[in-house]
Amino acid sequence: MPPRPKRVVGGRLARAIVTSGPIVYFGWLLVSQAWADWPALSDPRLDGETALSLAAVSYLGLLLASYWRKPPPLQERHDWRAVVVTALAIDALGLSASQPVTQPDAAGLAVAFMLAGTLLAFWSAWYLGTGFSLLPQARQLVTTGPYRYVRHPIYLGGLLITLGEVWLRFSPLVLALNLLFVAAQVVRLRYEEQILERAFPEYRDYRARTSALIPGIA
């Protein structure tokens, strides 16, 4: 068998290195989430806390699984601005979730918001499959499931989670962190729309008949 061209081998190696980053990251998030929620996971009950723990662990597991045999992107954005806004969104939400609970009486409604957001994100990622990516990319155009109603249902799920976080842990810092998260997500959303429109000619018609985040509104 003749040796493979160095350019092909080098390209595959570079892609493997780039792909391994999100795999390691989501693997670490999955282990961290399971460790933090272990009291609820090891002694499950019919309550919102157990449901939220199961949903969060399942969602992270699904994102990790989506990187198995992921097809190459048709369009991608790996410049420093995309990396910065993605890191800002992740870090802002993570720091918010680590803040102490300041309104325990609001736990029921806050957990309901976070559970709804996590379930919506899970449903969306399930339909997106291997099309999911950490950085703005385009692999396939999905217009079924939750994508039939809004173009960015995972982002909508994130907004519901931020409402729960602010409600439960309200403080000036938590409010600022979640506003930063929302702003970074809006920038990521715009990057994704630009990439999808370049990759898929039919995206313009899809965009014209759907809302970005809230059905019938925005």
Side-chain angles (χ1 to χ4, degrees):
M1 180 180 294
R4 295 180 180 180
K6 292 184 178 180
R7 182 176 298 179
V8 174
V9 175
R12 289 182 177 179
L13 178 61
R15 184 184 169 198
I17 293 173
V18 171
T19 302
S20 66
I23 292 175
V24 172
Y25 172 71
F26 284 118
W28 174 76
L29 279 184
L30 178 59
V31 172
S32 300
Q33 187 72 46
W35 180 264
D37 291 342
W38 186 247
L41 295 173
S42 60
D43 184 23
R45 302 179 181 181
L46 294 176
D47 57 15
E49 182 179 356
T50 299
L52 182 58
S53 299
L54 289 171
V57 169
S58 299
Y59 175 56
L60 291 173
L62 180 62
L63 295 186
L64 180 60
S66 74
Y67 276 85
W68 178 254
R69 294 185 177 180
K70 188 181 290 293
L74 302 175
Q75 293 281 339
E76 59 186 330
R77 181 160 188 157
H78 281 166
D79 61 56
W80 65 269
R81 289 168 295 186
V83 174
V84 167
V85 294
T86 300
L88 281 176
I90 293 170
D91 291 342
L93 190 59
L95 286 172
S96 174
S98 67
Q99 300 306 305
V101 173
T102 59
Q103 301 192 105
D105 294 340
L109 187 57
V111 168
F113 274 117
M114 289 188 281
L115 179 59
T118 305
L119 291 175
L120 175 58
F122 181 93
W123 183 32
S124 306
W126 181 271
Y127 268 85
L128 200 57
T130 56
F132 173 84
S133 60
L134 193 58
L135 291 174
Q137 295 179 351
R139 287 185 170 86
Q140 58 183 336
L141 181 60
V142 178
T143 60
T144 56
Y147 292 89
R148 179 181 178 183
Y149 308 102
V150 292
R151 298 191 299 277
H152 303 279
I154 292 181
Y155 289 75
L156 176 56
L159 292 179
L160 292 174
I161 292 173
T162 63
L163 288 176
E165 287 288 344
V166 172
W167 200 287
L168 185 63
R169 311 175 194 275
F170 183 79
S171 71
L173 175 59
V174 168
L175 181 60
L177 287 171
N178 282 276
L179 288 175
L180 178 60
F181 170 78
V182 171
Q185 289 291 76
V186 169
V187 175
R188 293 181 70 210
L189 183 153
R190 290 179 176 175
Y191 284 163
E192 286 190 11
E193 298 241 305
Q194 294 170 2
I195 291 172
L196 289 168
E197 190 165 340
R198 290 199 300 267
F200 303 103
E202 63 271 29
Y203 187 78
R204 183 168 297 181
D205 291 336
Y206 171 62
R207 184 177 183 178
R209 67 175 186 267
T210 54
S211 300
L213 289 172
I214 304 174
I217 298 178

